[in-house]
Amino acid sequence: MMKLSRRAAIGLGLGAAFAFSTAGAYAADPIKIGFPANVTGIQASLDGPMLNGAKLAVAEINAAGGVLGSPLELVTYDSKSDATVISTVASQLIDSDKVVGIIGFADSDSVLSIGPQVDKAKIPFITPGATSPKLPAQLGDQVFLAAFGDNVQAAVGAEFALNKLGAKTGYLLTDIGSEYTTLLADYFVAAYEHGGGKLLGKDTYKIGDKNFTAQIAKIKALPEQPAFIYASSNAEEIGLILKQLRQAGINLPVVGGDGYDTPLLIEVGGAAANDAYFTTHAFMGEGASPVVAAFNEAYQKATGHAPENSFAALGYDATKLMADAIKRAGSPEPAKIRDAIAATQGLAGVTGTISYRPGVAVPDKSVSVIGVKDGKLTLASEAAPTFVPEP
């Protein structure tokens, strides 16, 4: 992520904080933006902070005068990490609430669930946290990512293992129960082997599993132990995986993606999370860049606690992106907003600068690598990869 000056931080609207309330009165009707969020279920540790970040952005925008003379109204429902509920919520937002744009979700499976409906209705959709670079091609030209693609973060993880950890051999453990983890693993293999790494073995499990004894036994039985493990995991499982690995005497470094970026990593993993590393969207901890520190302060004032992870900042950035597109469109018409999103260049955010190349709905952004040391998150690296696998 690019580090910005204090002037850039103020330009992002982070000079003051608002406890999710709108200041001032408006004569015009509000511009409605939908924000379905999985605030319960398996995605809650990502979508909850993301929704809070979006609310903070709306509060700041409205306190500064709104957009096109109107306040923004964030229309939100709990989609409960359930595909059927996501579809119902989408219908409510599009048909009843008459939103002009939708922002939502930290995972690719949820975006795949809502995608056909936003495409049919021609409502522009920004996902703050889903990272499959295939989504726009799968779902149509209404869908945009605010985050980097999984091929980018997997490549950074592979290069970190090779160059920073000196790990020329590895082992791959993949959750085959979600689109995110299966794609991330495939991209990692392509990047790691392209860089000269050798995988000594692979194994799988499914989201929701609690016991990893069989997978760990296979690692221990290898004739040669790998230098590290790449675990393509969601938030719910990685802490358990780390605990069980350490209990079995496997103290290798473990590397993964932004699915680790929740408090559950350390809450569940405890001391076993030490020497784990993950790629994500921004380093939010002590010593963070000035723009992140300003966001942290605003979020703390608004919610009463520090940001749980970088998904809070992604929710904030995606909402600012939608608002900026409405302003540049000069109208709350969905078709004009969609075209304005696609034309975005150099929009400064907490998680980096957002620009879209012609015909590409995934922004080019650098990647932070976070490590766990003595039970605390530290910035281990920040980079763009030298090689990126094709989506």
Side-chain angles (χ1 to χ4, degrees):
M1 189 193 67
M2 295 177 63
K3 293 190 176 181
L4 304 178
S5 66
R6 176 169 174 78
R7 176 176 293 181
I10 294 171
L12 286 171
L14 292 171
F18 305 90
F20 300 157
S21 62
T22 300
Y26 294 84
D29 292 335
I31 297 172
K32 293 183 178 181
I33 304 297
F35 202 106
N38 296 317
V39 295
T40 57
I42 59 174
Q43 296 295 332
S45 63
L46 302 176
D47 279 26
M50 202 166 66
L51 176 59
N52 281 342
K55 289 179 178 179
L56 174 60
V58 168
E60 292 183 354
I61 291 164
N62 288 344
V67 179
L68 304 179
S70 295
L72 289 186
E73 180 182 338
L74 204 64
V75 184
T76 185
Y77 300 97
D78 180 8
S79 43
K80 302 182 179 180
S81 306
D82 182 279
T84 301
V85 179
I86 290 169
S87 180
T88 301
V89 165
S91 296
Q92 174 73 23
L93 290 169
I94 294 167
D95 299 329
S96 300
D97 297 313
K98 305 297 184 183
V99 298
V100 299
I102 299 176
I103 305 166
F105 305 124
D107 69 298
S108 298
D109 289 287
S110 293
V111 177
L112 287 168
S113 295
I114 200 173
Q117 288 167 275
V118 298
D119 185 59
K120 182 180 179 181
K122 300 305 176 189
I123 299 292
F125 178 88
I126 300 170
T127 171
T131 44
S132 167
K134 295 178 178 289
L135 288 171
Q138 290 172 313
L139 298 173
D141 65 0
Q142 300 298 316
V143 174
F144 295 85
L145 275 61
F148 48 61
D150 283 325
N151 51 340
V152 173
Q153 70 162 324
V156 169
E159 292 181 8
F160 176 82
L162 287 165
N163 301 327
K164 299 292 185 178
L165 299 180
K168 307 305 181 185
T169 60
Y171 190 90
L172 176 64
L173 185 59
T174 305
D175 171 4
I176 57 171
S178 76
E179 177 88 353
Y180 158 66
T181 47
T182 52
L183 283 178
L184 185 69
D186 289 344
Y187 293 134
F188 164 75
V189 172
Y192 186 65
E193 292 181 345
H194 180 271
K198 179 183 178 182
L199 288 174
L200 302 182
K202 302 178 183 179
D203 204 355
T204 64
Y205 67 95
K206 285 188 177 181
I207 191 168
D209 287 353
K210 305 295 183 186
N211 189 316
F212 303 95
T213 303
Q215 289 88 346
I216 291 170
K218 284 182 66 175
I219 298 172
K220 296 193 74 171
L222 290 169
E224 176 188 350
Q225 287 295 291
F228 85 113
I229 296 168
Y230 192 89
S232 187
S233 174
N234 283 293
E236 294 287 324
E237 290 77 35
I238 187 56
L240 291 173
I241 290 170
L242 289 165
K243 285 187 79 168
Q244 293 176 36
L245 282 169
R246 304 318 188 206
Q247 289 167 355
I250 299 176
N251 294 308
L252 299 169
V254 176
V255 179
D258 61 336
Y260 293 20
D261 192 3
T262 86
L264 294 174
L265 175 65
I266 294 175
E267 288 175 5
V268 176
N274 289 327
D275 216 15
Y277 302 89
F278 60 91
T279 48
T280 194
H281 309 274
F283 175 58
M284 309 297 290
E286 186 176 346
S289 69
V291 69
V292 172
F295 171 79
N296 288 350
E297 182 181 358
Y299 191 94
Q300 174 83 41
K301 289 179 180 177
T303 66
H305 56 80
E308 297 88 340
N309 49 34
S310 65
F311 286 85
L314 284 171
Y316 180 94
D317 284 352
T319 305
K320 289 292 183 94
L321 170 60
M322 183 70 80
D324 180 71
I326 295 170
K327 180 180 179 180
R328 286 184 286 112
S331 166
E333 294 178 33
K336 292 183 178 180
I337 297 169
R338 183 261 161 219
D339 289 346
I341 296 171
T344 299
Q345 292 293 314
L347 181 66
V350 178
T351 60
T353 300
I354 298 175
S355 298
Y356 295 107
R357 286 175 282 135
V360 180
V362 183
D364 297 317
K365 298 170 78 175
S366 61
V367 181
S368 297
V369 181
I370 311 301
V372 183
K373 183 178 181 180
D374 298 327
K376 294 183 178 180
L377 301 180
T378 61
L379 181 62
S381 177
E382 194 165 7
T386 59
F387 167 80
V388 178
E390 289 296 317

